[in-house]
Amino acid sequence: MKYNALKGVEDILPPDIFLWQRAETVAKAFFSRYGFSEIRLPIIESTDIFIRSIGESTDIVGKEMYTFPDKAGRSITLRPEGTASAVRCYVEHGLNNLPSPQKFFYTGPMFRYERPQKGRQRQFYQIGAEAFGSEHPSIDAEMIVMLNNLLSELGLKEVEFELNSIGCEECRPAYKASLTDFFRNRLDEYCPDCKNRFSTNPLRILDCKVEHCIELRQGAPSVTDHLCADCRAHFDELLLRLGLMNIKYTLNPNLVRGLDYYTRTAFEVTSQHLGAQKAVAGGGRYDKLVKEFGGPDTPAIGFAIGMERLIALLKDSETAAAPVPKVFIAALGEEADRQAAVIAEGLRRQGTWAELNYAASSLKSQLRKADRLGAEYAFIIGDNELKDGIMQWKNLKTGEQGQCSLKEPASVFNK
Ligand code: HAM
């Protein structure tokens, strides 16, 4: 019986894994500069958490969640994203009692039962950041600047920041009313999902990916024309600050994001190199969610980067540099093989990557293996060398060679 990974679920192997590790290391370094601490959140949560936050009218909750009863009959969901868990965690641990804003980041797999295609998996990884406790546009600007700098440090060039403000409880009702009027005219021409959205949450129609719905909604009222004075001022201050920091962005009044919890600032980072699934990161404010989860009124903002899409973009411009062994020890004879293992262990204890052959074979085949592994040095030990307490070495990059004491193998490269 031969098994394959599930559809839309991928193994991440060398050499790609080295790109993943580099991206994670750079991201973590950026987060710590801006005061974000890591949190580890569970992969399973009560289903309610996601319904309550992401919203019943969204595709994620409506169609894409991996939901199942556990053995006690509780409804459990594999997290489709990290924000809902972060909010649950913030409230559960009373983190609002600590100085604001509290800033966190997380990494890990998310699960959405979507139709797999390029850039869209059923299990995918995110690196996310969330900041709780400030409604000031300075934190919106800081998060966008941090994301921008992080992506450019990683070497991503042609990405675009799309920005919108989707208003608050004050301005949303009037906007929804004018959207409803607009959609009502040709409602029978929209897809069945949009007809549903019309009664549950007409804003979601702006997010529909069906070609005909996209055409139909041309000329729909724009949310930015309906912002209340406070939301307008908040958004203007954000744009001003981004200008001060030389961050380039595009205003996209149709950007509503695929999750219902957003208020005010919403943004996405897109790349034309990604094809249909062009968002490499997305985020925004969710000022009402902490309260909705039973905590005190606490504004918050965050974003998440899709790791697979990030890595796909990195792969366009660089190949993953796989680390290589410093030393390959070729041994000829049983006793030499034992000594090779002792020498390798000594080198490893000093922090050097040393490889062995793990089988008796000819010198030629062992050196071929050293080459294939990309080892920098080959050490060669045979019975004669053992007697004399020495071994031969060769720098496989330069061809330089010589001999050294068995007791001081590291002296070859620690000159
Ligand atoms: P999201 O836009 O749903 O936002 O996901 C963020 C990123 O995850 C996307 O831009 C994309 O790169 C990646 N992504 C989403 N779905 C898939 C998929 N099926 N396959 C591969 N990559 C995918 C959120 O998840 C919010 N929690 C972000 C946030 C944090 N908002 C505030 N705080």
Side-chain angles (χ1 to χ4, degrees):
M1 184 68 167
K2 186 174 164 253
Y3 294 106
N4 291 328
L6 296 174
K7 208 170 153 199
V9 172
E10 285 169 9
D11 300 309
I12 305 157
L13 305 173
D16 284 4
I17 193 71
F18 303 115
L19 284 179
W20 283 70
Q21 288 172 338
R22 184 172 84 79
E24 285 160 3
T25 306
V26 172
K28 285 176 185 174
F30 262 85
F31 291 144
S32 69
R33 267 184 233 173
Y34 289 81
F36 286 72
S37 322
E38 182 168 9
I39 46 172
R40 304 243 167 130
L41 298 164
I43 288 174
I44 50 172
E45 296 271 6
S46 282
T47 303
D48 290 354
I49 285 177
F50 301 113
I51 298 179
R52 213 39 204 283
S53 55
I54 300 170
E56 267 175 289
S57 66
T58 61
D59 283 354
I60 298 180
V61 169
K63 307 180 192 166
E64 297 170 1
M65 293 209 301
Y66 280 89
T67 297
F68 55 93
D70 71 5
K71 292 200 190 300
R74 284 174 289 246
S75 181
I76 303 291
T77 293
L78 295 184
R79 62 180 181 191
E81 58 109 44
T83 309
S85 301
V87 173
R88 195 262 315 131
C89 164
Y90 180 82
V91 174
E92 184 173 338
H93 299 283
L95 302 179
N96 54 290
N97 295 316
L98 301 172
S100 286
Q102 282 292 307
K103 305 179 196 174
F104 302 109
F105 78 88
Y106 50 85
T107 63
M110 309 291 160
F111 305 84
R112 297 183 191 174
Y113 195 81
E114 295 194 77
R115 199 164 42 79
Q117 57 170 234
K118 186 169 172 268
R120 194 162 72 189
Q121 291 82 36
R122 289 181 174 163
Q123 175 176 328
F124 59 97
Y125 286 75
Q126 286 186 345
I127 295 193
E130 317 284 352
F132 294 92
S134 169
E135 68 170 345
H136 199 273
S138 58
I139 192 116
D140 304 45
E142 191 175 286
M143 291 203 93
I144 292 172
V145 170
M146 175 172 76
L147 179 57
N148 176 79
N149 293 351
L150 159 58
L151 295 178
S152 63
E153 171 80 17
L154 284 169
L156 290 202
K157 285 190 189 75
E158 292 159 14
V159 289
E160 197 172 338
F161 272 75
E162 297 183 25
L163 217 60
N164 196 18
S165 173
I166 55 173
C168 66
E169 281 169 330
E170 280 286 303
C171 38
R172 195 84 58 82
Y175 177 56
K176 264 193 185 166
S178 76
L179 261 189
T180 310
D181 287 344
F182 177 87
F183 293 136
R184 188 177 289 113
N185 280 334
R186 298 176 70 180
L187 188 58
D188 50 338
E189 296 177 52
Y190 283 84
C191 73
D193 280 346
C194 280
K195 285 186 187 130
N196 252 336
R197 290 168 182 140
F198 182 76
S199 43
T200 53
N201 183 357
L203 238 84
R204 292 258 71 82
I205 299 179
L206 295 174
D207 200 39
C208 178
K209 305 287 182 298
V210 174
E211 204 58 48
H212 190 54
C213 296
I214 296 175
E215 280 164 29
L216 285 170
R217 66 179 188 237
Q218 295 297 320
S222 147
V223 62
T224 24
D225 294 337
H226 290 76
L227 294 180
C228 63
D230 283 352
C231 287
R232 184 74 257 172
H234 190 276
F235 196 42
D236 287 344
E237 180 64 23
L238 166 61
L239 300 183
L240 184 80
R241 284 170 180 261
L242 293 179
L244 281 176
M245 307 266 191
N246 293 320
I247 304 294
K248 297 206 172 22
Y249 57 83
T250 312
L251 295 178
N252 177 359
N254 284 328
L255 181 74
V256 289
R257 309 269 302 122
L259 307 99
D260 278 354
Y261 49 62
Y262 291 111
T263 50
R264 292 190 166 169
T265 310
F267 55 95
E268 260 174 19
V269 186
T270 57
S271 165
Q272 295 312 325
H273 299 289
L274 282 173
Q277 304 303 320
K278 64 186 175 92
V280 65
R285 255 190 188 280
Y286 45 97
D287 289 345
K288 297 293 153 201
L289 202 51
V290 173
K291 185 138 190 242
E292 182 83 11
F293 273 38
D297 211 349
T298 308
I301 177 166
F303 66 76
I305 304 172
M307 283 298 289
E308 285 77 3
R309 295 184 195 173
L310 173 68
I311 299 301
L313 290 174
L314 294 180
K315 273 167 82 173
D316 283 349
S317 57
E318 63 181 293
T319 42
V324 291
K326 185 84 177 168
V327 173
F328 182 93
I329 310 179
L332 295 166
E334 223 170 290
E335 191 46 35
D337 190 64
R338 289 186 196 111
Q339 287 310 313
V342 173
I343 292 166
E345 191 49 33
L347 286 167
R348 290 163 181 166
R349 284 182 194 180
Q350 294 163 21
T352 299
W353 180 4
E355 273 301 330
L356 294 165
N357 196 49
Y358 305 109
S361 47
S362 70
L363 180 61
K364 195 166 158 206
S365 109
Q366 293 193 52
L367 290 179
R368 209 178 313 124
K369 186 159 163 191
D371 243 0
R372 275 187 55 202
L373 290 174
E376 205 179 326
Y377 289 89
F379 287 177
I380 303 154
I381 321 177
D383 287 346
N384 288 340
E385 282 88 352
L386 270 188
K387 263 189 264 130
D388 301 339
I390 53 151
M391 63 183 165
Q392 310 293 327
W393 62 264
K394 181 172 182 185
N395 183 322
L396 297 174
K397 307 278 176 269
T398 64
E400 194 190 345
Q401 44 193 330
Q403 46 178 246
C404 68
S405 152
L406 286 180
K407 294 207 166 60
E408 305 219 25
S411 64
V412 172
F413 40 83
N414 288 340
K415 285 175 194 156

